Amino acid sequence: MNTKLSDALFQRAVKHIPGGVNSPVRAFGSVGATPRFIAKADRQFIWDADGNLYVDYVGSWGPMILGHNHPAVREAVLRAVEDGLSFGAATEREVEMAELICEMVPSMEVSRMVNSGTEAVMSAIRAARGYTGRSKVIKFAGCYHGHSDAMLVKAGSGGLTTGIPDSAGVPAGCARDTLTADYNDLASVEALFWENREEVAALILEPVAANMGVVLPEEGFLQGLRKLCDENGTVLIFDEVITGFRLAKGGAQEYFGVRPDLSTFGKIIGAGMPVGAYGGRREIMQMVSPVGPVYQAGTLSGNPVAMAAGLAQLHYLNEHPEVYEHIAALGKRLCDGLREAAPGCTVNGLGSLGCLFFTGGPVTGYSSARSSDTQAFGRYFLHMLEKGIYLAPAQFEAVFLSDAHTDADIDYFVDAAAEYFKSEGAVR
């Protein structure tokens, strides 16, 4: 596979961009390669600068649930652009977006648009602290909630891949009030509540932990967290940046039937454009300025072009429930196929999310996820890339399926994986 132009672009990039990439998750260092520079995308396909074609299973890290360049989204963006790119003022589309989110998501009574998932989480935690008058926050090892200082404690996603889950540059005081529990371990949460009685403002988690691979909540875990938060007067926050509008129209909270107090969402609200949102119970959100004393602002929040893109995608999902049936069927086909193709490995999946772990035995949390052989994943990644299958360049990321993918795509994926595991030196 010719990568001459991508390689040349990377050499230019490293001179002026840290590591040659604008986000660590784009780096190929952990898989022993250099990034492909993407030139265009359409449906389930992407093309790099050298013209190489790939079937894409990253989907801009999740928001492309309908596939790239979906006609409804593209047309909405083109119409919006004719009226201008940014106003920094209130627009009708913001109102329509708030109404639609509150209609689709069970817990949402009031929402506020922001510009990223990181910003949504940071703002939701501040609102919870303002509402409760408390300071401490419980998170789970391996769950990633963006790169705000207080959340970079045993974080997932790129932090796991680099082996630096805690970031330099974060003062000790910023993380002092962040308490870490073990995912799927209610006893660890109970212990933290007991040790910090009447001090915990919020408990935040990914309801499906999709930043340490894909780790599913065990039966009763989410319900147990809801009960503990109720008993302790603590705000339960679901980080649905990945699961929101993907597992179901109403996200993981609809899928599992557990209602959080606040929720955070990311770029799926903008069909891949830079956007996010947080919201939930009215009495908590009434704490947010300009109504209440919790200050949070964003000059470009609710950008009209991003709102147009997001409205088109969310309306489509709302009106076409068959999308969820299709992508869930694809997910089952992929995970079943990989379980057969990858002996000695573990495959976790739910709906349109999946992950192949290079470890034996169940993966139920941070410790078991970290047991995965990342070097073996790197060899597998390069094999799949050579076959024209574009995966996230890290063991601890999900495979994202879209409505544009087909059964033939999944079968090709499984066959390519089986070829890797049958090849010399790859059998575990």
Side-chain angles (χ1 to χ4, degrees):
M1 183 179 289
N2 176 29
T3 60
K4 183 178 179 180
L5 287 176
S6 278
D7 293 341
L9 284 167
F10 183 68
Q11 292 307 312
R12 288 171 57 191
V14 293
K15 296 177 182 177
H16 302 289
I17 304 172
V21 291
N22 280 312
S23 179
V25 294
R26 301 177 190 173
F28 277 45
S30 68
V31 294
T34 55
R36 301 294 188 266
F37 282 70
I38 305 306
K40 66 176 182 177
D42 190 62
R43 295 167 293 152
Q44 72 270 47
F45 303 114
I46 56 174
W47 289 261
D48 67 19
D50 294 277
N52 297 309
L53 170 66
Y54 307 89
V55 182
D56 179 27
Y57 292 93
V58 178
S60 195
W61 303 91
M64 300 308 187
I65 191 170
L66 300 180
H68 293 284
N69 206 20
H70 190 275
V73 175
R74 182 179 65 247
E75 290 165 12
V77 168
L78 291 175
R79 289 195 301 269
V81 165
E82 291 178 353
D83 295 329
L85 298 180
S86 180
F87 311 135
T91 68
E92 182 178 358
R93 291 193 188 101
E94 293 176 278
V95 180
E96 293 175 0
M97 177 63 79
E99 291 171 339
L100 184 57
I101 292 172
C102 291
E103 173 191 337
M104 294 177 72
V105 181
S107 68
M108 298 290 277
E109 297 176 350
V110 178
S111 68
R112 168 66 67 86
M113 300 306 300
V114 291
N115 295 294
S116 69
T118 291
E119 192 178 337
V121 167
M122 178 181 69
S123 304
I125 288 173
R126 185 179 299 163
R129 283 173 164 157
Y131 176 72
T132 61
R134 301 173 180 178
S135 299
K136 295 186 178 181
V137 174
I138 296 175
K139 72 175 294 290
F140 291 88
C143 283
Y144 180 71
H145 303 293
H147 62 270
S148 61
D149 286 354
M151 290 294 102
L152 286 176
V153 178
K154 290 191 177 178
S157 190
L160 279 175
T161 305
T162 60
I164 310 173
D166 301 309
S167 175
V170 177
C174 290
R176 183 168 44 237
D177 289 328
T178 302
L179 312 172
T180 306
D182 296 321
Y183 192 83
N184 276 325
D185 184 351
L186 283 174
S188 71
V189 182
E190 289 180 290
L192 289 176
F193 272 121
W194 177 253
E195 293 162 7
N196 300 273
R197 290 181 294 281
E198 299 183 1
E199 294 184 87
V200 180
L203 183 150
I204 185 169
L205 82 158
E206 298 175 83
V208 174
N211 281 290
M212 49 178 157
V214 174
V215 180
L216 310 182
E218 294 179 347
E219 186 175 353
F221 178 60
L222 298 179
Q223 292 81 358
L225 295 178
R226 176 69 274 176
K227 184 173 183 288
L228 285 171
C229 287
D230 288 341
E231 292 171 348
N232 289 276
T234 294
V235 175
L236 176 61
I237 304 173
F238 274 10
D239 181 341
E240 295 232 41
V241 167
I242 287 180
T243 56
F245 307 101
R246 174 166 280 279
L247 287 186
K249 288 194 298 183
Q253 56 196 270
E254 176 188 327
Y255 187 92
F256 292 107
V258 177
R259 181 172 294 199
D261 300 302
L262 293 177
S263 304
T264 63
F265 301 95
K267 45 201 171 291
I268 196 167
I269 285 180
M273 298 194 72
V275 68
Y278 71 102
R281 286 170 47 196
R282 184 174 302 276
E283 61 266 35
I284 301 176
M285 293 300 293
Q286 291 296 97
M287 297 295 296
V288 177
S289 61
V291 182
V294 175
Y295 191 76
Q296 181 267 312
T299 305
L300 300 180
S301 296
N303 173 273
V305 181
M307 293 297 93
L311 284 167
Q313 176 154 284
L314 293 187
H315 276 302
Y316 190 94
L317 291 171
N318 205 24
E319 296 162 6
H320 294 84
E322 67 274 13
V323 168
Y324 293 101
E325 298 173 11
H326 179 226
I327 59 179
L330 291 176
K332 185 177 186 304
R333 189 183 189 97
L334 176 61
C335 289
D336 288 348
L338 287 176
R339 289 185 183 105
E340 185 175 344
C345 291
T346 297
V347 178
N348 283 359
L350 183 66
S352 58
L353 299 170
C355 184
L356 170 63
F357 292 94
F358 283 74
T359 186
V363 176
T364 59
Y366 182 75
S367 309
S368 47
R370 287 298 299 267
S371 70
S372 195
D373 184 341
T374 54
Q375 291 186 342
F377 172 83
R379 296 191 295 271
Y380 163 78
F381 171 86
L382 293 175
H383 169 84
M384 299 298 273
L385 189 68
E386 191 66 26
K387 292 290 182 180
I389 296 170
Y390 190 81
L391 304 173
Q395 166 67 91
F396 304 107
E397 304 290 352
V399 165
F400 293 97
L401 299 173
S402 78
D403 195 43
H405 286 102
T406 67
D407 287 350
D409 294 326
I410 302 303
D411 293 344
Y412 180 74
F413 187 121
V414 171
D415 288 345
E419 180 181 308
Y420 169 78
F421 282 97
K422 290 176 181 176
S423 67
E424 184 178 354
V427 177
R428 294 178 61 79

